[in-house]
Amino acid sequence: MTIAVAADHAGFRYKERIKQSLEAAGFGVLDLGTYDERPVDYPDFGYAAGLAVSSGQVERAIVVCGSSIGISIAANKVPGVRCAPVADVAVTELSRRHN
């Protein structure tokens, strides 16, 4: 399975850690940026992740911004994509099962 990762500057460090964890677990990773901590607009990255999912380029995506709310809203702008800000395993599982 290939998973896209994307973040704004506030989420960059988290994205890098997530990417390393996914690769260590054997997942393919498509890194959609950002690639450093210089200020960027989160909607660009959330939308790109949503497009990667909706087009079938990847099966899933993980997006991160300062709160994870804004970037999830941007991903949700892509028709057919459902993105939820989550903070733990239980909420993640519930969002996949029920949303």
Side-chain angles (χ1 to χ4, degrees):
M1 174 186 294
T2 301
I3 300 172
V5 293
D8 72 351
H9 55 285
F12 170 73
R13 289 184 188 207
Y14 295 106
K15 177 193 64 106
E16 291 298 302
R17 289 173 42 197
I18 291 166
K19 184 169 80 171
Q20 290 174 354
S21 294
L22 291 170
E23 290 171 339
F27 291 99
V29 175
L30 174 62
D31 187 342
L32 297 172
T34 191
Y35 304 106
D36 57 41
E37 294 181 277
R38 285 181 282 164
V40 295
D41 292 327
Y42 67 82
D44 298 338
F45 300 94
Y47 197 80
L51 286 175
V53 172
S54 71
S55 72
Q57 185 178 11
V58 298
E59 290 83 358
R60 302 276 189 272
I62 298 172
V63 295
V64 185
C65 72
S67 66
S68 288
I69 295 170
I71 202 165
S72 68
I73 291 170
N76 280 319
K77 298 285 184 182
V78 178
V81 169
R82 296 295 174 262
C83 182
V86 298
D88 58 50
V89 173
V91 172
T92 303
E93 289 174 353
L94 286 169
S95 73
R96 292 291 305 145
R97 272 194 245 145
H98 300 291
N99 300 111

